[in-house]
Amino acid sequence: MDQRTDAGIFSRRFGAPPRDGAPNVVLVHGLGLSGRYFVPLARRLAASGMTVLVPDLPGNARSRAAARRALDGERLADALAHWHRRLALGPTCLVANSVGCQVTAALAARHPRLVSRLVMVGPALEPGTPGRRQVGRLLADAPREPLSLIPLAATDYLLTGLLRCAASFRTALRDAAESFEGNLTQVQVPTLVVRGAGDTIASAAWVRRVARTVQDGRTAEIPGAAHAAHYSAPDAMAALIEKFTLGGPS
């Protein structure tokens, strides 16, 4: 694993350095977290020959100093696009979890030439769902995740800062209500929407709705996984992504 900071964004790289003709994948974390919970998936994808980059979004964890306050999805997307261009990655497959899906939807809508494919894992937050209910869904999901995820997430939340996490949650709720679905309608690249079968945050109906809203969407479900399906079932998730990036049916 190689670590570096570009354009204020800390990132981890797994596999060979980016090069022409090689598949690149960027993994985008959820609210208040870091890229650390993507490491098991990143290692499996890199083992298949992909170059995998895992950034901490501006304002989060080791990129906390890159933003003075919580940024909305579009500003996060623009910052990620700037980082992407600095690294000269070329068209890339984006894989996002939870609120990270709002960021990648904005990125695909605003900077379409940077994105080749899009994978959304447990897209959140669902428009029209009150904040208290969203929090209740998150609390209900926690016992369904691997125990090892709890201290990892707690450490990231503390590193990001609880006040920053709360502000980011309010901003994400506003994005969900005002721009998320609009950005989804502008996503033109093939999109795979994945849900852990036990996910209490991203419902099956919402996942199907996301897939219908983008221009070329399809769905998949991973048995025995919950909201962080990429963490609890990295082998199954890697297999889905590898098949999807090769252009075969999901």
Side-chain angles (χ1 to χ4, degrees), residues 54 58-59 69 97-98 101 117 121 134 147 162 199 201 203 209 211 223 235 242:
V54 192
R69 57 185 177 83
N97 172 239
S98 195
C101 296
R117 287 177 181 260
V121 184
Q134 301 276 17
L147 286 177
L162 297 181
D199 191 344
I201 298 171
S203 68
R209 181 170 150 193
D235 291 330
E242 290 162 13

Side-chain angles (χ1 to χ4, degrees), residues 36-249:
R36 291 193 303 149
Y37 75 149
F38 268 116
V39 168
L41 174 62
R43 287 176 173 157
R44 283 158 176 81
L45 292 174
S48 71
M50 298 180 180
T51 295
V52 186
L53 294 113
V54 192
D56 289 0
L57 293 173
N60 292 265
R62 296 181 71 173
S63 297
R64 191 183 191 283
R68 293 183 179 179
R69 57 185 177 83
L71 301 180
D72 61 24
E74 293 186 348
R75 291 189 179 184
L76 286 171
D78 290 344
L80 199 57
H82 179 59
W83 167 84
H84 187 288
R85 292 189 177 100
R86 282 281 297 268
L87 294 179
L89 297 181
T92 298
C93 175
L94 300 178
V95 179
N97 172 239
S98 195
V99 173
C101 296
Q102 294 181 202
V103 178
T104 56
L107 179 59
R110 295 166 68 85
H111 308 276
R113 294 184 180 180
L114 302 184
V115 184
S116 60
R117 287 177 181 260
L118 191 57
V119 179
M120 296 185 175
V121 184
L125 302 162
E126 185 176 345
T129 302
R132 288 183 180 179
R133 186 176 299 177
Q134 301 276 17
V135 172
R137 290 178 175 181
L138 175 62
L139 294 175
D141 183 78
R144 303 180 180 215
E145 303 291 353
L147 286 177
S148 59
L149 180 59
I150 306 303
L152 188 156
T155 300
D156 284 347
Y157 290 144
L158 290 174
L159 185 58
T160 298
L162 297 181
L163 292 177
R164 177 72 63 90
C165 288
S168 296
F169 180 67
R170 291 192 296 270
T171 300
L173 281 173
R174 186 171 63 249
D175 280 350
E178 297 176 359
S179 60
F180 190 16
E181 287 189 285
N183 287 328
L184 288 172
T185 63
Q186 298 180 58
V187 174
Q188 300 179 18
V189 296
T191 300
L192 176 64
V193 191
V194 185
R195 177 181 181 270
D199 191 344
T200 63
I201 298 171
S203 68
W206 167 238
V207 164
R208 290 193 296 269
R209 181 170 150 193
V210 171
R212 289 194 305 267
T213 303
V214 299
Q215 293 191 27
D216 181 9
R218 64 214 72 179
T219 64
E221 189 168 270
I222 297 181
H227 190 56
H230 61 282
Y231 182 83
S232 59
D235 291 330
M237 185 65 68
L240 283 174
I241 293 169
E242 290 162 13
K243 193 172 186 178
F244 179 60
T245 54
L246 290 173

